[in-house]
Amino acid sequence: MDLLATPGTILLAILALGVLIIVHEGGHFLVARLSGMRVDRFSIGFGPKLFSFKRGETIYQIAAIPLGGFVQIAGLNPGEEGMAANDPRAYPNRPVWQRLATIFAGPATNYVFAAFMLIGIFLAWGVPGLGKAPVVDEVIENSAAAAAGLEPEDEIKKVDGKAIDDGNQVLPIVNASGGKPIVVDIVRNGKPMAITVTPAKNGSSGYLMGVKLGGVQTWEQLPAGTRVKEALTYPFRYSVFVLETLVTGGVKQIWQQGSGPTGIIKEIKKRIEHGPKQAFMIIAMISIYLGLFNLLPLPGLDGGRLVFLGWEAISRRRVNERLEQTVHMVGVLMLLALIIVISFKNDFHIGSWFHK
């Protein structure tokens, strides 16, 4: 049980995130090598190196800032020292299809890794779905539920002594309380608890606790072939769902619910404490997120580089290397700034001025 104590789960969460970074960068690395490119450095993290070793022509390192990783391919950044302009192993001197494959390989590897993980999860435990039994999806800030101590993922079993097996049963019972304290029986992390909530008046809506409810996750026992099919298609179906959510919620969605590396580690840690099924599932989900995020056509991301390479493939004209480098550099700085701000706002909850 020591492994499930806080230090153990934090370490496992950090290692899980590190594995996902290795998977992504490993995709770039493998295809670059297969395409005849020289890879000078493979790094987990950015900034000053903490540990490194050299094997062959590549330096492998762990760096101090855990905001991702990178593969340093010779010639990927214009003006590198010690690289001949006509070096056949340099990135810009390889055919455009090889450069496209190398950049695409990182996100693609995240999707492949997630699919294989999901095959194992679905075969072992079943295909996830949502039942009718209610679970807290979100606790509204400054609400009665927040004051009482209800938390996301609390499973609601009873409200005011009445057994609950459908989320639609909760609101009428809460409203009937007339604002008097009621006891909500829940299960949190496998442990039963009783929390007293005093519902608050909310205009014409009556009395509310201040929670958004979803369904408790269920695991359907389907034939093995169906489970494999569901696992292989799940990453793409979930990506469509995320994109639709971004289209409707846009920047506000990212601003309110986005997480930096610390938040991701906290979420992995929480899932590890729920057991291996939830732990493996969140790792697969984050791998999908990493693949999708990096495919977005934004400067500094793999998707941004693919846009430039796509233009080159169609027009047969290469974009000015210095211009492209500048665009990506600005994009990286903006993304780093966004990650830092969101980390402070959503992960550390620092600075009430964010909410103004």
PDB file of all heavy atoms in Angstrom, residues 102-121:
ATOM      1  N   THR A 102       8.254  12.773 -40.795  1.00  0.00           N
ATOM      2  CA  THR A 102       8.981  12.953 -39.532  1.00  0.00           C
ATOM      3  C   THR A 102       8.195  13.820 -38.564  1.00  0.00           C
ATOM      4  O   THR A 102       8.097  13.500 -37.368  1.00  0.00           O
ATOM      5  CB  THR A 102      10.357  13.585 -39.803  1.00  0.00           C
ATOM      6  OG1 THR A 102      11.120  12.699 -40.621  1.00  0.00           O
ATOM      7  CG2 THR A 102      11.106  13.841 -38.496  1.00  0.00           C
ATOM      8  N   ILE A 103       7.624  14.917 -39.045  1.00  0.00           N
ATOM      9  CA  ILE A 103       6.861  15.813 -38.169  1.00  0.00           C
ATOM     10  C   ILE A 103       5.546  15.160 -37.737  1.00  0.00           C
ATOM     11  O   ILE A 103       5.145  15.240 -36.567  1.00  0.00           O
ATOM     12  CB  ILE A 103       6.588  17.153 -38.876  1.00  0.00           C
ATOM     13  CG1 ILE A 103       7.911  17.846 -39.226  1.00  0.00           C
ATOM     14  CG2 ILE A 103       5.722  18.054 -38.007  1.00  0.00           C
ATOM     15  CD1 ILE A 103       8.803  18.134 -38.048  1.00  0.00           C
ATOM     16  N   PHE A 104       4.881  14.468 -38.671  1.00  0.00           N
ATOM     17  CA  PHE A 104       3.600  13.831 -38.368  1.00  0.00           C
ATOM     18  C   PHE A 104       3.761  12.653 -37.413  1.00  0.00           C
ATOM     19  O   PHE A 104       2.815  12.296 -36.688  1.00  0.00           O
ATOM     20  CB  PHE A 104       2.941  13.360 -39.666  1.00  0.00           C
ATOM     21  CG  PHE A 104       1.595  12.721 -39.477  1.00  0.00           C
ATOM     22  CD1 PHE A 104       0.493  13.481 -39.115  1.00  0.00           C
ATOM     23  CD2 PHE A 104       1.433  11.355 -39.657  1.00  0.00           C
ATOM     24  CE1 PHE A 104      -0.745  12.890 -38.939  1.00  0.00           C
ATOM     25  CE2 PHE A 104       0.203  10.752 -39.481  1.00  0.00           C
ATOM     26  CZ  PHE A 104      -0.900  11.524 -39.122  1.00  0.00           C
ATOM     27  N   ALA A 105       4.945  12.064 -37.372  1.00  0.00           N
ATOM     28  CA  ALA A 105       5.155  10.832 -36.607  1.00  0.00           C
ATOM     29  C   ALA A 105       4.944  11.019 -35.107  1.00  0.00           C
ATOM     30  O   ALA A 105       4.496  10.093 -34.428  1.00  0.00           O
ATOM     31  CB  ALA A 105       6.565  10.297 -36.861  1.00  0.00           C
ATOM     32  N   GLY A 106       5.239  12.211 -34.576  1.00  0.00           N
ATOM     33  CA  GLY A 106       5.068  12.432 -33.138  1.00  0.00           C
ATOM     34  C   GLY A 106       3.616  12.282 -32.711  1.00  0.00           C
ATOM     35  O   GLY A 106       3.283  11.412 -31.882  1.00  0.00           O
ATOM     36  N   PRO A 107       2.694  13.107 -33.257  1.00  0.00           N
ATOM     37  CA  PRO A 107       1.281  12.952 -32.904  1.00  0.00           C
ATOM     38  C   PRO A 107       0.723  11.574 -33.272  1.00  0.00           C
ATOM     39  O   PRO A 107      -0.069  11.006 -32.511  1.00  0.00           O
ATOM     40  CB  PRO A 107       0.590  14.054 -33.723  1.00  0.00           C
ATOM     41  CG  PRO A 107       1.657  15.055 -33.998  1.00  0.00           C
ATOM     42  CD  PRO A 107       2.930  14.276 -34.120  1.00  0.00           C
ATOM     43  N   ALA A 108       1.146  11.035 -34.426  1.00  0.00           N
ATOM     44  CA  ALA A 108       0.646   9.722 -34.847  1.00  0.00           C
ATOM     45  C   ALA A 108       1.014   8.648 -33.831  1.00  0.00           C
ATOM     46  O   ALA A 108       0.209   7.756 -33.528  1.00  0.00           O
ATOM     47  CB  ALA A 108       1.203   9.367 -36.225  1.00  0.00           C
ATOM     48  N   THR A 109       2.226   8.732 -33.293  1.00  0.00           N
ATOM     49  CA  THR A 109       2.666   7.748 -32.297  1.00  0.00           C
ATOM     50  C   THR A 109       1.834   7.851 -31.033  1.00  0.00           C
ATOM     51  O   THR A 109       1.539   6.829 -30.392  1.00  0.00           O
ATOM     52  CB  THR A 109       4.158   7.937 -31.977  1.00  0.00           C
ATOM     53  OG1 THR A 109       4.910   7.925 -33.192  1.00  0.00           O
ATOM     54  CG2 THR A 109       4.671   6.814 -31.087  1.00  0.00           C
ATOM     55  N   ASN A 110       1.432   9.071 -30.643  1.00  0.00           N
ATOM     56  CA  ASN A 110       0.542   9.224 -29.491  1.00  0.00           C
ATOM     57  C   ASN A 110      -0.776   8.499 -29.719  1.00  0.00           C
ATOM     58  O   ASN A 110      -1.312   7.847 -28.814  1.00  0.00           O
ATOM     59  CB  ASN A 110       0.263  10.699 -29.217  1.00  0.00           C
ATOM     60  CG  ASN A 110       1.383  11.378 -28.457  1.00  0.00           C
ATOM     61  OD1 ASN A 110       1.926  12.386 -28.904  1.00  0.00           O
ATOM     62  ND2 ASN A 110       1.740  10.833 -27.314  1.00  0.00           N
ATOM     63  N   TYR A 111      -1.323   8.604 -30.942  1.00  0.00           N
ATOM     64  CA  TYR A 111      -2.582   7.933 -31.252  1.00  0.00           C
ATOM     65  C   TYR A 111      -2.407   6.409 -31.245  1.00  0.00           C
ATOM     66  O   TYR A 111      -3.253   5.679 -30.710  1.00  0.00           O
ATOM     67  CB  TYR A 111      -3.109   8.391 -32.608  1.00  0.00           C
ATOM     68  CG  TYR A 111      -3.902   9.676 -32.545  1.00  0.00           C
ATOM     69  CD1 TYR A 111      -3.322  10.894 -32.859  1.00  0.00           C
ATOM     70  CD2 TYR A 111      -5.241   9.667 -32.166  1.00  0.00           C
ATOM     71  CE1 TYR A 111      -4.055  12.079 -32.793  1.00  0.00           C
ATOM     72  CE2 TYR A 111      -5.979  10.840 -32.100  1.00  0.00           C
ATOM     73  CZ  TYR A 111      -5.374  12.037 -32.421  1.00  0.00           C
ATOM     74  OH  TYR A 111      -6.104  13.197 -32.346  1.00  0.00           O
ATOM     75  N   VAL A 112      -1.326   5.923 -31.825  1.00  0.00           N
ATOM     76  CA  VAL A 112      -1.073   4.478 -31.861  1.00  0.00           C
ATOM     77  C   VAL A 112      -0.892   3.941 -30.446  1.00  0.00           C
ATOM     78  O   VAL A 112      -1.451   2.894 -30.073  1.00  0.00           O
ATOM     79  CB  VAL A 112       0.167   4.170 -32.731  1.00  0.00           C
ATOM     80  CG1 VAL A 112       0.562   2.699 -32.602  1.00  0.00           C
ATOM     81  CG2 VAL A 112      -0.104   4.523 -34.190  1.00  0.00           C
ATOM     82  N   PHE A 113      -0.114   4.667 -29.628  1.00  0.00           N
ATOM     83  CA  PHE A 113       0.122   4.256 -28.242  1.00  0.00           C
ATOM     84  C   PHE A 113      -1.198   4.193 -27.479  1.00  0.00           C
ATOM     85  O   PHE A 113      -1.464   3.227 -26.749  1.00  0.00           O
ATOM     86  CB  PHE A 113       1.076   5.247 -27.573  1.00  0.00           C
ATOM     87  CG  PHE A 113       1.385   4.937 -26.136  1.00  0.00           C
ATOM     88  CD1 PHE A 113       2.310   3.963 -25.812  1.00  0.00           C
ATOM     89  CD2 PHE A 113       0.763   5.636 -25.104  1.00  0.00           C
ATOM     90  CE1 PHE A 113       2.604   3.675 -24.478  1.00  0.00           C
ATOM     91  CE2 PHE A 113       1.041   5.357 -23.781  1.00  0.00           C
ATOM     92  CZ  PHE A 113       1.969   4.376 -23.470  1.00  0.00           C
ATOM     93  N   ALA A 114      -2.049   5.230 -27.652  1.00  0.00           N
ATOM     94  CA  ALA A 114      -3.347   5.253 -26.974  1.00  0.00           C
ATOM     95  C   ALA A 114      -4.217   4.080 -27.417  1.00  0.00           C
ATOM     96  O   ALA A 114      -4.879   3.438 -26.589  1.00  0.00           O
ATOM     97  CB  ALA A 114      -4.058   6.577 -27.258  1.00  0.00           C
ATOM     98  N   ALA A 115      -4.227   3.790 -28.719  1.00  0.00           N
ATOM     99  CA  ALA A 115      -5.051   2.691 -29.233  1.00  0.00           C
ATOM    100  C   ALA A 115      -4.636   1.354 -28.633  1.00  0.00           C
ATOM    101  O   ALA A 115      -5.487   0.550 -28.220  1.00  0.00           O
ATOM    102  CB  ALA A 115      -4.969   2.648 -30.757  1.00  0.00           C
ATOM    103  N   PHE A 116      -3.325   1.099 -28.554  1.00  0.00           N
ATOM    104  CA  PHE A 116      -2.854  -0.157 -27.968  1.00  0.00           C
ATOM    105  C   PHE A 116      -3.174  -0.233 -26.477  1.00  0.00           C
ATOM    106  O   PHE A 116      -3.538  -1.294 -25.951  1.00  0.00           O
ATOM    107  CB  PHE A 116      -1.360  -0.336 -28.209  1.00  0.00           C
ATOM    108  CG  PHE A 116      -1.038  -0.936 -29.549  1.00  0.00           C
ATOM    109  CD1 PHE A 116      -0.538  -0.156 -30.580  1.00  0.00           C
ATOM    110  CD2 PHE A 116      -1.243  -2.278 -29.790  1.00  0.00           C
ATOM    111  CE1 PHE A 116      -0.257  -0.700 -31.824  1.00  0.00           C
ATOM    112  CE2 PHE A 116      -0.961  -2.849 -31.029  1.00  0.00           C
ATOM    113  CZ  PHE A 116      -0.471  -2.047 -32.049  1.00  0.00           C
ATOM    114  N   MET A 117      -3.045   0.896 -25.770  1.00  0.00           N
ATOM    115  CA  MET A 117      -3.418   0.906 -24.351  1.00  0.00           C
ATOM    116  C   MET A 117      -4.896   0.607 -24.187  1.00  0.00           C
ATOM    117  O   MET A 117      -5.306  -0.159 -23.301  1.00  0.00           O
ATOM    118  CB  MET A 117      -3.089   2.265 -23.730  1.00  0.00           C
ATOM    119  CG  MET A 117      -1.633   2.474 -23.378  1.00  0.00           C
ATOM    120  SD  MET A 117      -1.436   3.698 -22.065  1.00  0.00           S
ATOM    121  CE  MET A 117      -2.081   2.827 -20.655  1.00  0.00           C
ATOM    122  N   LEU A 118      -5.731   1.218 -25.033  1.00  0.00           N
ATOM    123  CA  LEU A 118      -7.171   1.022 -24.935  1.00  0.00           C
ATOM    124  C   LEU A 118      -7.573  -0.413 -25.262  1.00  0.00           C
ATOM    125  O   LEU A 118      -8.515  -0.950 -24.667  1.00  0.00           O
ATOM    126  CB  LEU A 118      -7.895   2.004 -25.865  1.00  0.00           C
ATOM    127  CG  LEU A 118      -7.821   3.475 -25.434  1.00  0.00           C
ATOM    128  CD1 LEU A 118      -8.304   4.387 -26.542  1.00  0.00           C
ATOM    129  CD2 LEU A 118      -8.633   3.701 -24.160  1.00  0.00           C
ATOM    130  N   ILE A 119      -6.876  -1.039 -26.195  1.00  0.00           N
ATOM    131  CA  ILE A 119      -7.147  -2.463 -26.478  1.00  0.00           C
ATOM    132  C   ILE A 119      -6.961  -3.282 -25.204  1.00  0.00           C
ATOM    133  O   ILE A 119      -7.805  -4.110 -24.848  1.00  0.00           O
ATOM    134  CB  ILE A 119      -6.229  -2.982 -27.606  1.00  0.00           C
ATOM    135  CG1 ILE A 119      -6.658  -2.392 -28.959  1.00  0.00           C
ATOM    136  CG2 ILE A 119      -6.282  -4.510 -27.675  1.00  0.00           C
ATOM    137  CD1 ILE A 119      -5.702  -2.716 -30.092  1.00  0.00           C
ATOM    138  N   GLY A 120      -5.856  -3.053 -24.510  1.00  0.00           N
ATOM    139  CA  GLY A 120      -5.594  -3.771 -23.264  1.00  0.00           C
ATOM    140  C   GLY A 120      -6.641  -3.474 -22.198  1.00  0.00           C
ATOM    141  O   GLY A 120      -7.129  -4.389 -21.510  1.00  0.00           O
ATOM    142  N   ILE A 121      -7.010  -2.192 -22.055  1.00  0.00           N
ATOM    143  CA  ILE A 121      -7.999  -1.797 -21.047  1.00  0.00           C
ATOM    144  C   ILE A 121      -9.361  -2.408 -21.351  1.00  0.00           C
ATOM    145  O   ILE A 121     -10.014  -2.987 -20.472  1.00  0.00           O
ATOM    146  CB  ILE A 121      -8.114  -0.254 -20.998  1.00  0.00           C
ATOM    147  CG1 ILE A 121      -6.801   0.358 -20.493  1.00  0.00           C
ATOM    148  CG2 ILE A 121      -9.269   0.174 -20.091  1.00  0.00           C
ATOM    149  CD1 ILE A 121      -6.705   1.860 -20.705  1.00  0.00           C
TER     150      ILE A 121
END
